[in-house]
Each structure stands twice: as structure tokens, then as C-alpha cells.
Amino acid sequence: MIPPYKTSILDQLRAKTASVSIKAALWTILGFGSGKVIQLVSNIILTRILFPEAFGLMVIVNVVLIGLAMLSDIGLKPAIIQHPRGHEDTFLNTAWTVQIIRGFILFLVACSLAWPLAILYEQPVLTAMICACATTTIAKGFCSIAMATAERDMALKRVTLIELSAQMLTMCITIGLALSMQSVWSLVLGNIITAFVTCVLSHLFLTPHKHKILWHTQSWQEMKSFGRWIMASTLFTFVGGHGIKAIEATFITLEDVAFLQIATTMALSIRELISALRSKVLFPKLSRIQRETPTLFTPVFQKLSSKLLLAALIGYGLLALLSMHIINLLYDERYFVSHQYLTLYAIGGLMAVIASMYSDALLSKGLSKESFYITASNAFLQVISVFIGFNIAGIIGMVSGSIFASTGTYILAIILASKHNILLIKTDIAYIVCVIIIAWLAITINFPQALIH
């Protein structure tokens, strides 16, 4: 029997962490929702000013930069959030130094790849576009390390306001440039402005931290030990996510890339919201529970995952069922075909969410290798499904492959979760039944010709 005073302490801890989690979740949702509204308004306006190929070119540029960033991600932010010494100045300044060095390396690598990629995609303008956008990696390297400590403490108000301010300013400037330039370079300049404004604001408005260049070998070794599997995971995350876009772009025209990007952007709006809640609420809270009261890990994981899965069902479900109406409302007739792609991406997203949450739970326990296994299997299955799907049914088959890849990944996730006693079998069964119902209804509505044949 637990003594009364210990029960009281546990109750107080639960109440405190619940309050912090609720505030963090509300700021995450507010920031994400407002940010997506800004992005959507900007996207709608810009598609009426610029030509579709401009967005196709930016997809390639973003794939290159995001890919390099992910390939070199050694898990600095997760290390700060999860590590017991994640609040110490020595640890934080070492992380900031590594972050700066990484930014310059990424800039040089991106510039060296620009010309070969321009030849590969037969788009000479890509050379200058990639070099220009690569300057954002330097700006991100100098961002305040307090961005990470704020997420560790789940104090997200100022971080959210900084991100929204940068996005709003960027939208206004990008639209103004697009009207005056009528060129893809307005999108390039918009990306650059966002990165530099965010960097400046992070130093001006976050909790002060005395940044200085510092190399502490022990801190670096601890980061590297924790982050080596995260680095491998981000490599495979890129391959299975943004890397797929690069592969798809070799199969199809730039116009088709733009149509896929419209659908992808819509589906990613839900995925990114769930991902934001996972990274800013689920992972920090589970990491804190693992450090302080590990006996509460499974019940807390059960409670948080149920809420996140419900959010996924609502978000992805609405996208899948209403995709035709959404595309018709927001875009002109050139983009109509995107609604079927959106339906399939939404169904695939539903299956991807559940495996991702098990990956986060394992990572918060310090099991970065097991988390890597889930990410790597997803990447492998996603790549295979693109080739097989495209050869069987063209673009529709290529997009449909994400559903089967996510399902295969989930099977591995439940095996690993069961091994470490965090499997939520009842929650999983209820969720999957709902996914099946939504998928059947969405395909019935948006693919009537498939039912006829």
C-alpha cells in the first residue's frame, strides 16, 4: 500500500504536469492552426499569381535542403529535452556550437550539389535557387538554443508568437514580391526572410541565455551517444518522406509534381499538427515522466495517445471524406485531380500516426535504436511502394503505396511496443476499426469509377 503522503505527492505531480501539458497543447494547436491559415492564404494567393512550375521547382529546392538538414540531424533538440543535464549551460552552449558548425557545413554541401542537381532535373535555374536558399541553414544555426529549452519545459507561448510573427511578415513580403517580380524568386526570397527573421526574434524575445562558443567533450559525447540512432532515423525519415518527392519527380512532369504537392500540403497540415503535439507535448511529457516517475509511464502514454489518435481521426477523416469539396473550393479547375491524391494521402496518414506515437514513446525511454527500427522500416516500405505502385497504376498507384507502407510499419511498431510493455492493444483495435470505416467511405465518395469496375 502506498503511504498517504506519497499518494499526495503523486497527485500533485500529476496535476502540475497535466496543467503544463494542457497549456503546451493549446499553444501548439493555436500556433499550428494560425500558421496553417497564414500558409494557406499565402498559397492560394500565390497560385493565382505564379505558374504551377514555380511551385514544382520550389518542391525540389526544399527537398534538397530539408534532406541535407535531416541527414545531418544528430538529435540536438531531443537530447536537450530528454537528457538530465539538458538545462546546464555547458551542455546547452556545446549544443549551440554544434548547431552553428552544422549550419555552415550544410550551406557548403548544398552549394556543391546545386549544379549537379540542376543537370539531373534539366532545370538550370535550380543552381542559383539552391545556393540562395542554402543561406537559411546558416541563419538556423545561429537561432537561440532557448528554442529547445522552451520545448523541454513545455513553455511554448513565446516560441509560438515568434514563429507566427515571422510567417506573417514573410507572407506579406512574398506576395508583394510575387506581384512585382512575377517570378519563382519571390518564393526563394520568402524562404530566406523567414529563416533570418526567426533567428533574430529567437534571441530578442526568448528567455535570456548567455550564448557562447564552447566545446565540452563530455557533453558532446553524451549528445552523440543519444543522437547516433536519431541521426540514422532522420536519414530514413527523409528517404521515406521528402525523399519520396525527389524520386517521384523523376517519374512525372513538373506540373504533376505541383498537383501532388497541393495534396501533400493538405495532408501534411494534419500530419504536422499531430507531429507538433507529439514533439512538443507527448515526447517532453513522457521524457519527464520517465526521469521522475517511470511507474506512471504507461497510463500517461495511454491517456495522451488516445487524445492524439482522436485528433488524427477527425483531421484526416475530414480530409479524406471532403477532399473533392476542399480542392474545388480553394483551387481552380487545373488542380482538380489533386482531390484523389489527397484522399489517399489522408488514409495513409491515419495509419502512419499510430506507429509514430510508439516510436516517440520508445525514444522517450531512451530507446533510440528501437525508434530507429520503426523509422527505417517505414522508409524502406515507402520507397518500395512508390516503384511498385507506379508500375501497377501510375500516379494513383504510387500514392496508394503509402497506405500499405504505413500498415507494414505499424506491425513492426506493435512488436517492439509489446517487447517493452507499452502496447495499447484495446486503443489500437478501436482506432483501426475507425480507420477502415473512414477509408471505405472516402474511396466510395472519391473513386466511384473504381467501384464500377
Side-chain angles (χ1 to χ4, degrees):
M1 182 176 179
I2 301 176
Y5 74 91
K6 287 189 176 181
T7 302
S8 176
I9 293 173
L10 287 175
D11 289 341
Q12 291 176 15
L13 177 62
R14 287 173 179 168
K16 180 180 179 181
T17 56
S19 176
V20 172
S21 299
I22 291 171
K23 289 180 181 178
L26 289 175
W27 275 109
T28 299
I29 294 170
L30 175 63
F32 181 85
S34 301
K36 282 301 171 184
V37 169
I38 294 171
Q39 182 182 1
L40 181 60
V41 171
S42 176
N43 209 12
I44 292 171
I45 295 173
L46 289 171
T47 56
R48 284 161 170 76
I49 300 173
L50 302 174
F51 48 94
E53 288 78 7
F55 298 97
L57 288 169
M58 282 306 299
V59 168
I60 296 173
V61 173
N62 287 331
V63 165
V64 173
L65 295 179
I66 293 172
L68 289 175
M70 296 179 74
L71 295 177
S72 62
D73 183 4
I74 58 172
L76 293 179
K77 184 183 290 185
I80 291 170
I81 292 173
Q82 198 271 344
H83 200 280
R85 293 180 52 233
H87 62 285
E88 296 179 7
D89 286 346
T90 300
F91 194 90
L92 293 174
N93 284 324
T94 301
W96 189 61
T97 303
V98 173
Q99 181 177 281
I100 293 172
I101 295 171
R102 176 172 169 267
F104 279 103
I105 292 174
L106 288 178
F107 171 76
L108 295 174
V109 174
C111 289
S112 68
L113 292 175
W115 182 65
L117 288 171
I119 295 175
L120 173 65
Y121 289 105
E122 299 179 350
Q123 296 290 335
V125 70
L126 280 175
T127 301
M129 288 177 64
I130 291 173
C131 290
C133 286
T135 59
T136 62
T137 64
I138 297 175
K140 292 175 182 177
F142 280 96
C143 278
S144 173
I145 204 68
M147 298 280 280
T149 58
E151 291 192 21
R152 173 185 170 93
D153 299 330
M154 291 188 283
L156 303 180
K157 179 179 178 179
R158 291 189 178 184
V159 173
T160 301
L161 294 176
I162 286 171
E163 292 172 348
L164 289 178
S165 299
Q167 289 176 6
M168 181 64 74
L169 178 62
T170 301
M171 181 187 74
C172 297
I173 294 175
T174 303
I175 292 172
L177 290 171
L179 287 169
S180 62
M181 299 173 67
Q182 295 287 312
S183 167
V184 68
W185 283 97
S186 59
L187 302 178
V188 173
L189 292 173
N191 276 14
I192 296 172
I193 291 168
T194 299
F196 280 89
V197 169
T198 301
C199 178
V200 172
L201 293 179
S202 72
H203 286 279
L204 291 177
F205 296 109
L206 288 179
T207 302
H209 171 75
K210 293 183 179 179
H211 292 83
K212 64 178 180 179
I213 302 297
L214 176 69
W215 190 267
H216 186 252
T217 303
Q218 181 184 347
S219 296
W220 163 241
Q221 290 298 332
E222 290 171 353
M223 292 178 207
K224 187 171 66 172
S225 177
F226 177 77
R228 58 180 177 173
W229 288 108
I230 295 179
M231 184 174 182
S233 293
T234 53
L235 164 62
F236 283 96
T237 298
F238 167 75
V239 173
H242 294 283
I244 293 295
K245 296 178 184 178
I247 296 172
E248 291 171 347
T250 63
F251 296 158
I252 58 181
T253 66
L254 278 178
E255 186 176 51
D256 286 327
V257 170
F259 296 150
L260 280 176
Q261 181 64 14
I262 293 294
T264 303
T265 300
M266 291 283 185
L268 280 177
S269 65
I270 304 301
R271 177 181 174 181
E272 289 171 359
L273 173 58
I274 301 299
S275 179
L277 289 169
R278 283 170 36 218
S279 64
K280 296 182 179 181
V281 180
L282 178 70
F283 177 61
K285 183 166 184 177
L286 290 180
S287 295
R288 176 183 290 184
I289 294 296
Q290 180 65 21
R291 290 194 304 267
E292 299 174 358
T293 53
T295 55
L296 297 177
F297 188 94
T298 300
V300 170
F301 178 44
Q302 164 80 51
K303 184 176 181 180
L304 289 176
S305 64
S306 296
K307 293 177 180 179
L308 288 175
L309 290 176
L310 177 60
L313 285 172
I314 295 172
Y316 278 124
L318 289 174
L319 277 186
L321 296 171
L322 302 176
S323 61
M324 185 184 302
H325 301 289
I326 293 171
I327 296 297
N328 279 337
L329 177 65
L330 299 177
Y331 298 95
D332 60 49
E333 64 275 2
R334 292 176 298 169
Y335 298 92
F336 178 74
V337 69
S338 297
H339 88 274
Q340 292 188 334
Y341 306 152
L342 177 56
T343 299
L344 296 173
Y345 278 135
I347 295 171
L350 282 167
M351 287 305 302
V353 168
I354 193 165
S356 297
M357 283 198 292
Y358 278 123
S359 178
D360 287 340
L362 292 167
L363 186 61
S364 65
K365 281 180 158 292
L367 302 170
S368 55
K369 182 168 68 173
E370 284 75 3
S371 178
F372 160 74
Y373 291 153
I374 294 174
T375 305
S377 67
N378 179 64
F380 174 77
L381 293 173
Q382 292 286 354
V383 172
I384 294 298
S385 68
V386 164
F387 287 101
I388 295 176
F390 185 79
N391 282 296
I392 293 175
I395 297 178
I396 291 293
M398 184 171 67
V399 178
S400 300
S402 65
I403 301 173
F404 299 100
S406 296
T407 302
T409 304
Y410 168 66
I411 293 172
L412 174 62
I414 61 175
I415 293 172
L416 293 173
S418 178
K419 178 181 177 182
H420 294 282
N421 300 314
I422 58 171
L423 180 62
L424 309 175
I425 187 65
K426 293 182 179 179
T427 301
D428 287 12
I429 291 173
Y431 179 77
I432 290 172
V433 169
C434 292
V435 171
I436 292 172
I437 294 171
I438 290 172
W440 180 81
L441 289 173
I443 291 173
T444 300
I445 294 170
N446 296 294
F447 292 85
Q449 68 277 14
L451 299 180
I452 294 173
H453 296 292

